[in-house]
Amino acid sequence: MSTRNAHYLSAMGIQPWALRAAPRVSGQCSPVAADAAAEEIALANMAPAPVAAGHVTAGARADVAEMDWPRLEAAVAACRRCALAEGRTQTVFGVGERTADWMVVGEGPGAEEDRRGEPFVGRAGRLLDNMFVAIGLRREAVYIANVVKCRPPGNRDPQPEEVSACGAYLDRQIALVQPRLILALGRFAAQSLLQTDTPVGQLRGRVHRYAGTIPLIVTYHPAYLLRSPEQKARAWDDLRLARAQIAGDG
Ligand code: URA
Ligand code: SF4
């Protein structure tokens, strides 16, 4: 393995996993990797439950499809179109560069996201940040959103009618950003965006198209990677595929 690859893997927290067997490599560990290791050890048993399927575009509405950013943001902040409105502290719209090449889509806000109003700021978010580091991306350079904008109570799966109600907002965010690549994190985002029931393990590893146009790559959800660190090598392959897709498409 090259030093460069070792650095990337260490940024994803793969190196610390090997560390226990081979303490001598600790000199190669970046502070990010050390954080990732501590994070992983402290939180390995606390990841949320797996997620279910949905269909994003089923809820598309003409009014939302014409909104600009300020209108869309205001519409989401005031939205009560599904039952998830009742349990939220606030909506979690999305964050990042609105002309980004990369758009990253997760499932829905967790407790920390619900408190802070920003996606992926909890423990899964810290691993996601390390995954960005691994491919030379800054969090600020991508646009990050979720399939549903309100926290499902107790981290339960969003229901199909909730995904359907919220889907128009995500579709509009994608249309406004016009990313060159969508990275779908986990089963829920992948199956919703691709409107399929195929398991993530079969969707990852190749390039799909969102709505027949935008290249979309599926990888494991960082919360799942916290529980199943042995899958990080596969996630790393997906990230490299995504980076190659961006580099190769013009
Ligand atoms: N998990 C998600 O899918 N999205 C978030 O914003 C946080 C955790
Ligand atoms: Fe509206 Fe989406 Fe929140 Fe449901 S989850 S209330 S559709 S913003």
Side-chain angles (χ1 to χ4, degrees), residues 211-233:
T213 54
I214 302 171
L216 184 151
I217 289 172
V218 173
T219 193
Y220 294 116
H221 195 287
Y224 171 75
L225 293 175
L226 286 172
R227 309 195 280 282
S228 304
E230 73 281 1
Q231 300 288 13
K232 284 182 177 177

Side-chain angles (χ1 to χ4, degrees), residues 48 92 105-110 113 118-122 124-125 144-147 185 221-223:
V92 177
V105 179
E107 174 190 346
E113 289 77 19
E118 190 175 322
F120 284 105
V121 290
I144 309 173
N146 283 311
V147 171
L185 300 176
H221 195 287

